[in-house]
Each structure stands twice: as structure tokens, then as C-alpha cells.
């Protein structure tokens, strides 16, 4: 076995209290996308949010959880 420790991803998709969420291991709670909390989502919304938070910062700009342009980002 290798001496290197396995690195866990910061984010993961999991069931929340109500619906699905993107869990942030650093925050120890739901991930934030802008000012939106990635919780109480459908599985598809949670997977989309996961792709956003796992991507580059440029991908985050102007995005909302539903994939539509975020009017607050203008």
C-alpha cells in the first residue's frame, strides 16, 4: 500500500433532512453557491450544484441552483 493518504473531496451529494444536499466537509454543513444554500434539493439539482461547486470559480459566477442566470450577479 502507498504511503500517501487518500484525499477526500471537499463536497459530496447526500440525502439531507428534507431532500438532497451538497455537503461541504470544510463548513460541516450545506455548501454555499453565492448566497444560496445547496440543501432541500431534488437529486438532479444536487448533482448540478455539486458540478458547480466542484468546478472552477469562473463556473460559479452568475449561476443559481436551478441553472438559470442569477439576476443578483448582474
Amino acid at each position: 500500500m502507498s504511503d500517501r493518504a487518500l484525499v477526500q473531496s471537499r463536497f459530496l451529494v447526500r440525502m439531507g433532512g428534507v431532500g438532497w444536499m451538497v455537503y461541504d466537509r470544510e463548513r460541516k454543513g450545506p455548501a454555499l453557491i453565492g448566497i444560496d444554500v445547496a440543501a432541500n434539493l431534488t437529486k438532479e439539482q444536487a448533482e448540478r450544484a455539486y458540478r458547480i461547486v466542484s468546478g472552477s470559480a469562473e463556473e460559479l459566477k452568475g449561476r443559481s441552483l436551478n441553472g438559470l442566470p442569477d439576476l443578483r450577479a448582474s
Side-chain angles (χ1 to χ4, degrees), residues 33-34 52-53 55-64 67-74:
I33 299 178
I52 291 170
V53 297
S56 68
E58 195 58 34
E59 236 181 301
L60 290 172
K61 189 176 179 182
R63 296 283 181 137
S64 66
L68 299 173
D70 187 351
L71 299 176
R72 293 170 295 197
S74 310

Side-chain angles (χ1 to χ4, degrees), residues 4 8-9 14-15 17 20-21 23 32 34-36 41-45 51 53-54 57 59 61-62 64 68 72:
R4 287 190 279 174
Q8 290 185 334
S9 173
R14 65 178 234 189
M15 284 292 294
W20 291 80
M21 68 184 294
Y23 185 79
L32 292 175
I35 60 171
D36 296 321
L41 306 170
T42 66
K43 187 172 184 181
E44 292 77 21
Q45 289 171 321
R51 287 193 301 272
V53 297
S54 297
E59 236 181 301
K61 189 176 179 182
S64 66
L68 299 173
R72 293 170 295 197

Side-chain angles (χ1 to χ4, degrees), residues 1-15:
M1 190 158 180
S2 167
D3 288 337
R4 287 190 279 174
L6 294 176
V7 177
Q8 290 185 334
S9 173
R10 176 177 173 179
F11 302 102
L12 67 118
V13 174
R14 65 178 234 189
M15 284 292 294

